[in-house]
C-alpha cells in the first residue's frame, strides 16, 4: 500500500525491414543535445564507463539486432514486490523477444527498496534498471549524484512526449541540482498510474433514493441524508495519517488551480501552501468530522480495516485511491470523481543506471512497459496503466475507474501527493490535519505549519 501512495507516453515508431539502422550513436540530433545539455555535462555516458563524460543518445527505437549485438548479457533489475504480478508476464515475453538477454530481477519490499536503492545505484555493480520513488529522498538523491540516465531522448524517440499519458511524466522531471521536480530533464518513467476518487455503495444509495455524486456539491448534499438515515456517510481509517490527507487533496484540487498544487509539491520557489483553497479544504474536513460524517474512532482505524469494513457494507462512501478497488465487489460498488477528473499520480518510476553497460536492453524493457498490451495486463492485475489506448475494463468498477483516470489526465488534475514535497511531510501534514479535524487547531494554523515545514526542507537542500 505504501508503494502506491508514495509514490506517477506512447507512440511507438515502426522498425523498417532489412538491416538494422544505427540508432545507438554517440552523437545526437541538435535538438536533443540542447535538451540534455545541462544533464549531460559531466554525467556518465549510458552504456559507457562512468568516467566517459559523454551521453549516448537514442535517436531511433532500439531493434532486436542492436540488443543481440550486446552478446549474451544479463539485465539486472530491482523492483518493488508489488510488481510481481505484472513482471510474471512481461519478463518471459521480453526474454523471448531478446533471447540473448537474461533478466535478473530482485524484488524488494517498498520500505527496503527506498532504504537501499540509492546506495545500490552508487555501488560498483548497480542494477541496470530499477524503481526509485518520487520525491527528494530517493529520486532527488539519484539525480543529484548523477546516478541515473536522462531519458529525454528515449521519450522523444518513442513518442512518450505526446498523446496518452504524456502529462504523467512531470513527477520524474528534475532540475539539474535535484532540488525541484515537475520541470526539467526527464529521469524516469512509470507505466502505472493512480487516481483519487470516491467509491460508493450502490445498494445503500438506491435505498436512500440517492444518485452517485458527480461533484463535491453533490456529495455534500448526500452526506446529511445518509447521516439522518443512521448510516455512516464516509468510511475513514486514518491511523497511518495518510488517508485523511488523500481526502483533503481531493477537496483542495476543487478549490484552486491544479498547476499551483503541482508547483508547490515539486518545490518551486515562491509557492505556498497557505492558500484560501487549502484553508477551505481544511475547514471542510473539520466540518465533516464535527458533523460525524467520518464516524468515531477513525484515527485508531487503519486504511486496510476501513476498506474491509466498507467492502462489507459499512458506510455509503469511501474517498481514496484507485488501488482500493481491488478489494471491492464490482457488482456492489461504483467509482466516480469530485472534479472533472480526480486527483492522483503515477507510481514509482523506473530508472536506467547512468553506468549501465546494457543500456539498449534497458531501453527496450522500458519500451515494453509502455504499450497498450502491457497497459491491459496492468489493468488485469488490478492497477491502472499510463497507456490507456485500447485498454478495457473487465467489469463496471474497472471501467468507471479507467474512465476517471482518462478524464483526470485530460483535465490536468493528476497533481501528485502532498507528502512528496518533503521527507517528513506525511507526518507533519497528517498530524496537523488530525488536529484540525479534532477541532484543536485552525485551518490557517494548519496551512502555516505545513508551509513552514516545506520552507525548511527547501532551505536544507
Amino acid at each position: 500500500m505504501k508503494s502506491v501512495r508514495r509514490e506517477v507516453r506512447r507512440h511507438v515508431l515502426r522498425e523498417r525491414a532489412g538491416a538494422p539502422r544505427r540508432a545507438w550513436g554517440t552523437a545526437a540530433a541538435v535538438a536533443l543535445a540542447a535538451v540534455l545539455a545541462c544533464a549531460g555535462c559531466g554525467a556518465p555516458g549510458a552504456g559507457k564507463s562512468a568516467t566517459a563524460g559523454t551521453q549516448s543518445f537514442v535517436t531511433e527505437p532500439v531493434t532486436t539486432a542492436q540488443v543481440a549485438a550486446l552478446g549474451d548479457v544479463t539485465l539486472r533489475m530491482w523492483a518493488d514486490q508489488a510488481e510481481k504480478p505484472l513482471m510474471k508476464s512481461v519478463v518471459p515475453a521480453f526474454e523471448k523477444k531478446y533471447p540473448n538477454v537474461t533478466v535478473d530481477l530482485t524484488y524488494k519490499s517498498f520500505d527496503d527498496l527506498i532504504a537501499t536503492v540509492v546506495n545500490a545505484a552508487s555501488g560498483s555493480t548497480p542494477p541496470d534498471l530499477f524503481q526509485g520513488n518520487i520525491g527528494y529522498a530517493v529520486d532527488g538523491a539519484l539525480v543529484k549524484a548523477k546516478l541515473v540516465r536522462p531519458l529525454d531522448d528515449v521519450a522523444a524517440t518513442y513518442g512518450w512526449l505526446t498523446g496518452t499519458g504524456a502529462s504523467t511524466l512531470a513527477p520524474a522531471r528534475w532540475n539539474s541540482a535535484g532540488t525541484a521536480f515537475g520541470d526539467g530533464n526527464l529521469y524516469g518513467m512509470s507505466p502505472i498510474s493512480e487516481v483519487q476518487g470516491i467509491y460508493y455503495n450502490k445498494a445503500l444509495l438506491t435505498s436512500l433514493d440517492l444518485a452517485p455524486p458527480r461533484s463535491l456539491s453533490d456529495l455534500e448534499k448526500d452526506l446529511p441524508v445518509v447521516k439522518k438515515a443512521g448510516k455512516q456517510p464516509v468510511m475513514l481509517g486514518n491511523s497511518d495519517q495518510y488517508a485523511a490527507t488523500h481526502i483533503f487533496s481531493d477537496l483542495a484540487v476543487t478549490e484552486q488551480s491544479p498547476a499551483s498544487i503541482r508547483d508547490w509539491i515539486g518545490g518551486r520557489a515562491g509557492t505556498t501552501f497557505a492558500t484560501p483553497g487549502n484553508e477551505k479544504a481544511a475547514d471542510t474536513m473539520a466540518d465533516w468530522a464535527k458533523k460525524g460524517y467520518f464516524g468515531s474512532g477513525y484515527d485508531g482505524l487503519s486504511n486496510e480495516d476501513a476498506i474491509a469494513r466498507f467492502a462489507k457494507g459499512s458506510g455509503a462512501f469511501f474517498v481514496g485511491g484507485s488501488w482500493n478497488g481491488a478489494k471491492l465487489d464490482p457488482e456492489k460498488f461504483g467509482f466516480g470523481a469530485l472534479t472533472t477528473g480526480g486527483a492522483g499520480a503515477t507510481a514509482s518510476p523506473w530508472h536506467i543506471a547512468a553506468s549501465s553497460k546494457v543500456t539498449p536492453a534497458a531501453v527496450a524493457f522500458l519500451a515494453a512497459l509502455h504499450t497498450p498490451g502491457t497497459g491491459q495486463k496492468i489493468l488485469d492485475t488490478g492497477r491502472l496503466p499510463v497507456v490507456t489506448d485500447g485498454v478495457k475494463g473487465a467489469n463496471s468498477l474497472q471501467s468507471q475507474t479507467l474512465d476517471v483516470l482518462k478524464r483526470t489526465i485530460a483535465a490536468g488534475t493528476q497533481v501528485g501527493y502532498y507528502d512528496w514535497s518533503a521527507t517528513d511531510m506525511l507526518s507533519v501534514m497528517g498530524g496537523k490535519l488530525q488536529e484540525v479535524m479534532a477541532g484543536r487547531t485552525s485551518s490557517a494554523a494548519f496551512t502555516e505549519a505545513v508551509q513552514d515545514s516545506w520552507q525548511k526542507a527547501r532551505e536544507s537542500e
Side-chain angles (χ1 to χ4, degrees), residues 29-396:
V30 174
L32 286 176
V35 168
L36 290 170
C38 183
C41 293
K48 294 181 177 295
S49 67
T51 58
T54 59
Q55 178 68 55
S56 295
F57 294 98
V58 177
T59 57
E60 295 175 355
V62 177
T63 66
T64 54
Q66 286 157 353
V67 175
L70 295 172
D72 292 334
V73 296
T74 298
L75 178 64
R76 290 172 297 112
M77 294 168 46
W78 275 26
D80 186 332
Q81 62 188 11
E83 303 300 330
K84 278 186 179 181
L86 177 63
M87 292 299 142
K88 284 181 179 179
S89 60
V90 174
V91 170
F94 181 82
E95 290 181 327
K96 183 178 180 180
K97 183 175 181 179
Y98 304 100
N100 63 303
V101 179
T102 298
V103 175
D104 179 9
L105 181 51
T106 299
Y107 292 107
K108 299 272 187 177
S109 69
F110 176 74
D111 288 341
D112 189 22
L113 179 69
I114 64 172
T116 59
V117 72
V118 175
N119 285 339
S122 63
S124 58
T125 56
D128 301 289
L129 186 63
F130 55 90
Q131 284 183 289
N133 192 50
I134 298 171
Y136 301 92
V138 178
D139 281 10
L142 292 169
V143 172
K144 279 184 179 180
K146 294 180 169 52
L147 297 173
V148 289
R149 180 195 192 281
L151 299 177
D152 300 81
D153 58 330
V154 177
T157 295
Y158 282 92
W160 301 346
L161 302 178
T162 59
T164 303
S167 65
T168 65
L169 293 170
R173 293 188 178 279
W174 287 82
N175 64 9
S176 59
T179 57
F181 64 95
D183 291 303
N185 293 118
L186 179 68
Y187 288 93
M189 64 80 74
S190 174
I192 294 170
S193 196
E194 301 164 3
V195 68
Q196 290 279 120
I198 182 165
Y199 292 94
Y200 54 87
N201 183 321
K202 294 179 181 179
L204 182 52
L205 292 194
T206 298
S207 70
L208 298 175
D209 197 27
L210 296 174
R214 299 186 178 280
S215 66
L216 177 58
S217 177
D218 286 349
L219 179 61
E220 291 196 298
K221 291 176 183 176
D222 293 345
L223 295 177
V225 176
V226 177
K227 185 71 167 58
K228 186 177 181 180
K231 304 294 184 180
Q232 183 168 328
V234 181
M235 181 58 64
L236 172 64
N238 195 44
S239 61
D240 292 330
Q241 298 185 334
Y242 79 87
T245 67
H246 283 188
I247 299 178
F248 171 85
S249 69
D250 266 13
L251 298 175
V253 80
T254 69
E255 302 292 348
Q256 56 206 308
S257 162
S260 67
I261 298 176
R262 278 194 298 271
D263 288 346
W264 183 84
I265 291 174
R268 177 167 292 184
T271 58
T272 182
F273 187 80
T275 66
N278 283 336
E279 286 190 23
K280 186 174 180 181
D283 284 336
T284 298
M285 294 290 289
D287 181 60
W288 287 5
K290 183 178 181 180
K291 291 176 178 176
Y293 293 163
F294 298 124
S296 60
Y298 52 81
D299 278 337
L301 188 70
S302 71
N303 184 78
E304 290 295 307
D305 288 337
I307 193 65
R309 292 185 184 185
F310 184 67
K312 293 179 180 179
S314 296
F317 303 106
F318 181 95
V319 182
S322 51
W323 54 91
N324 293 289
K327 301 178 178 66
L328 300 176
D329 184 337
E331 299 300 318
K332 297 180 179 179
F333 298 92
F335 185 77
L338 299 180
T339 62
T340 303
T346 52
S348 299
W350 287 88
H351 304 288
I352 295 178
S355 60
S356 175
K357 301 297 189 293
V358 293
T359 304
V363 170
F365 197 92
L366 288 187
L369 292 177
H370 204 269
T371 68
T374 300
Q376 185 65 57
K377 291 173 183 177
I378 290 169
L379 189 65
D380 292 343
T381 57
R383 292 189 287 177
L384 292 176
V386 163
V387 177
T388 59
D389 294 344
V391 177
K392 296 182 179 179
N395 53 61
S396 60

